[in-house]
Amino acid sequence: MVEKGGYVRDILALAPGAEATARGWVKTRTEFPAHYFVKVSDGSSFADLQLLVEKDAIDEATMAQVTTGACVEASGVIVPSAGKEQPTDLKVSRLAVHGAADPATYYLQKKRMNLETLREIAHFRTRTNTFGAVFRVRNRLAFAVHEFFQSRGFMLVHSPIITASDAEGAGQMFQVTTFDIGAPPRDGGGEVDFGQDFFGRPSHLTVSGQLEAEIFALAFTNVYTFGPTFRAENSNTARHLAEFWMIEPEMAFCDLDGDKALAEDFLKFIIEAVMRDCQRDLEFFQQFYDKQLIPTLENVVANRFEQITYTEAVELITGAKKKWEYPVRWGTDLQSEHERFLTEEVFRKPVVVTGYPKEIKAFYMRENDDGRTVRAMDVLAPRIGEIIGGSQREDRLEVLERKVAEQCATHGTDPEAYRWYLELRKYGGVEHSGFGLGFERMMMYLTGMSNIRDVIPFPRYPGHADF
């Protein structure tokens, strides 16, 4: 049990004269003729606690172990600070070292380290200022997600990680099998006989919890999933991971307009929560990683999102006197450079784009009456581009049957895997909508970190599954 005032964040708020016990890891130790200053962190706040250790109060053998990286426990009384960086110190009367660290070989030194180097020592990067701030923000952001949906009556659904259906239709999925991959059983035609596999059919790690969320939305009305998803895309960009977390609400009796409104409210709520409770962390990110971070976040919260169609977006992009790396025409997907142009140069605020061509969107999106577009939406934000993708779902049985057949023919998947999805439309179906927010993409937006591998505890990407 943690005693009151035991966290560094609580001790920092105590007035002089209060007694406290701090536990944490040493970040720096500075020696003076009559005393030591020892900076200690337990991860609970951006600010460290400074210990004032007088040389005649603690024996030399103990102090010899108090080096960077050591785990210590210190008790004493709060006093006005003898330094200039903080208002108070903890004047130590008792000090114990729980775990020593050899300063000659300890990974972290008193200097700024390259983020790529820190990824190779993910078991210690959490002790740095940068990653302490990253994961405090991640914690607050996750809590804000639940606050938002729970306060609006949404039910949390734990969607499955193992699935037999491809929600995105992209086919880039990790396969799950118990077969000896060197000698799997084969049928009479020489093909792998998945009927003998653990699940009796080809199975994969999920790319989305959406399809299962639809089941619950058509029974509980408003639901959301928040869990890990996987994509076997051989990409080494700063925006891609093989394992990432997704937030996916699904709402019955909801059209695209309701979907857009919820997405805007959601983004503003979670940004405000992090700005309110992680102010010092965001100030650090603005100082070292993105000079416009806080003004950018304030802009999202303060403005109504612009609403345009895909066709209007293409006209704005093609009409601009700019040289594009990826030229765009009607029917092609928008790239990050186009999305940032719309949000940063044209409208200077978030933009919701709707009415995308059906060929570039998923099979489950409701077709518009023009036969060319679907009721899809992408929420674009300054500095990062697409941050939310969603749609009104196809609720017409005959239309969805056609689209499922086309998808299965294209990707060689079994139509039986979607039988239950079609039956949702056959028995008590109703219009419904939803969207997805990539949690790590949102983390990049909130922190200004430029590489997605630096906003998740243990990144998984091609060639890397360490820790």
Side-chain angles (χ1 to χ4, degrees):
M1 181 177 180
V2 178
E3 66 182 80
K4 185 177 181 181
Y7 286 119
V8 163
R9 64 169 178 253
D10 299 326
I11 296 172
L12 290 170
L14 295 176
E19 295 183 351
T21 296
R23 306 172 185 87
W25 291 265
V26 175
K27 294 181 77 171
T28 63
R29 181 185 104 159
T30 306
E31 184 175 2
F32 294 91
H35 65 275
Y36 300 93
F37 280 145
V38 180
K39 292 286 186 70
V40 172
S41 171
D42 65 357
S44 63
S45 73
F46 182 86
D48 302 323
L49 175 66
Q50 181 163 276
L51 307 182
L52 170 60
V53 186
E54 295 180 341
K55 288 189 173 181
D56 59 0
I58 304 299
D59 63 89
E60 292 184 12
T62 298
M63 284 307 302
Q65 300 181 71
V66 181
T67 60
T68 300
C71 181
V72 300
E73 179 175 343
S75 297
V77 63
I78 301 296
V79 297
S81 180
K84 299 178 180 180
E85 297 180 3
Q86 59 284 314
T88 58
D89 296 335
L90 178 63
K91 184 177 181 181
V92 177
S93 57
R94 184 181 66 82
L95 181 66
V97 178
H98 292 301
D102 182 353
T105 58
Y106 184 55
Y107 292 92
L108 304 179
Q109 303 300 322
K110 192 179 179 180
K111 62 180 181 180
R112 193 172 181 184
M113 297 181 67
N114 181 282
L115 295 179
E116 188 170 348
T117 299
L118 288 172
R119 283 180 219 134
E120 302 302 318
I121 54 169
H123 53 315
F124 287 114
R125 72 175 183 169
T126 47
R127 299 187 188 181
T128 65
N129 286 336
T130 293
F131 288 98
V134 164
F135 295 120
R136 278 188 296 273
V137 169
R138 187 178 174 106
N139 172 72
R140 184 62 186 95
L141 177 61
F143 185 49
V145 169
H146 292 295
E147 282 182 310
F148 177 84
F149 289 117
Q150 292 292 328
S151 68
R152 286 160 175 76
F154 280 64
M155 174 183 284
L156 174 62
V157 177
H158 294 132
S159 54
I161 291 175
I162 300 174
T163 181
S165 59
D166 182 355
E168 297 297 323
Q172 296 170 320
M173 303 177 75
F174 289 101
Q175 189 156 351
V176 176
T177 181
T178 57
F179 284 162
D180 176 353
I181 59 174
R186 299 187 180 275
D187 59 23
E191 300 294 325
V192 175
D193 185 1
F194 285 103
Q196 298 185 48
D197 206 353
F198 188 90
F199 295 107
R201 65 177 69 182
S203 301
H204 307 84
L205 297 180
T206 187
V207 297
S208 170
Q210 178 201 314
L211 303 189
E212 292 81 8
E214 288 187 48
I215 293 175
F216 275 73
L218 296 178
F220 296 97
T221 308
N222 292 325
V223 303
Y224 70 107
T225 73
F226 187 176
T229 52
F230 309 84
R231 187 160 297 173
E233 183 178 2
N234 190 15
S235 175
N236 272 294
T237 76
R239 292 163 59 93
H240 289 87
L241 289 169
E243 176 185 284
F244 51 98
W245 287 68
M246 286 289 293
I247 301 143
E248 297 175 289
E250 198 73 28
M251 298 80 67
F253 312 103
C254 180
D255 60 12
L256 187 62
D257 288 336
D259 203 24
K260 291 188 292 183
L262 187 81
E264 180 171 342
D265 289 347
F266 176 56
L267 277 179
K268 290 180 175 180
F269 181 94
I270 59 180
I271 290 173
E272 283 184 299
V274 172
M275 291 182 69
R276 181 179 63 249
D277 296 335
C278 299
Q279 180 180 354
R280 184 63 188 89
D281 295 308
L282 297 187
E283 289 170 351
F284 169 80
F285 290 126
Q286 180 164 274
Q287 180 180 357
F288 290 103
Y289 293 100
D290 185 344
K291 301 300 183 184
Q292 294 301 311
L293 176 64
I294 295 175
T296 299
L297 298 177
E298 290 173 339
N299 174 266
V300 175
V301 172
N303 287 289
R304 294 294 300 174
F305 293 5
E306 189 69 31
Q307 311 278 329
I308 64 172
T309 66
Y310 168 86
T311 300
E312 292 168 335
V314 170
E315 290 172 352
L316 288 168
I317 294 164
T318 56
K321 295 180 180 180
K322 294 175 69 70
K323 184 177 182 180
W324 303 107
E325 182 179 356
Y326 299 97
V328 68
R329 58 179 173 77
W330 202 97
T332 59
D333 210 352
L334 303 184
Q335 302 297 319
S336 179
E337 61 175 338
H338 309 133
E339 296 167 345
R340 294 189 63 175
F341 166 71
L342 294 171
T343 58
E344 296 171 18
E345 298 183 42
V346 178
F347 297 106
R348 299 183 182 276
K349 62 179 180 178
V351 178
V352 183
V353 181
T354 59
Y356 282 84
K358 64 181 182 181
E359 286 79 13
I360 62 174
K361 289 298 182 180
F363 75 95
Y364 51 74
M365 298 184 178
R366 197 182 203 279
E367 285 189 14
N368 286 316
D369 294 338
D370 61 13
R372 303 175 68 211
T373 61
V374 291
R375 295 183 191 177
M377 69 163 185
D378 282 348
V379 180
L380 315 180
R383 194 167 50 80
I384 198 171
E386 181 193 343
I387 199 165
I388 280 179
S391 72
Q392 184 174 331
R393 315 312 190 187
E394 184 58 75
D395 60 288
R396 296 166 295 182
L397 178 61
E398 66 282 1
V399 176
L400 191 59
E401 285 176 329
R402 168 176 56 81
K403 297 177 80 171
V404 166
E406 291 171 354
Q407 156 138 324
C408 291
T410 300
H411 298 291
T413 51
D414 183 1
E416 177 62 19
Y418 298 95
R419 174 185 56 79
W420 59 267
Y421 192 64
L422 293 168
E423 287 183 348
L424 289 174
R425 278 72 178 167
K426 188 176 180 180
Y427 304 104
V430 70
E431 67 177 5
H432 57 288
S433 303
F435 62 79
L437 170 70
F439 191 64
E440 283 72 31
R441 188 70 59 87
M442 190 66 208
M443 277 293 300
M444 292 175 70
Y445 196 68
L446 281 167
T447 62
M449 301 296 284
S450 60
N451 196 312
I452 199 168
R453 299 169 188 176
D454 296 324
V455 294
I456 192 169
F458 304 103
R460 302 294 189 241
Y461 52 99
H464 292 78
D466 300 328
F467 304 99

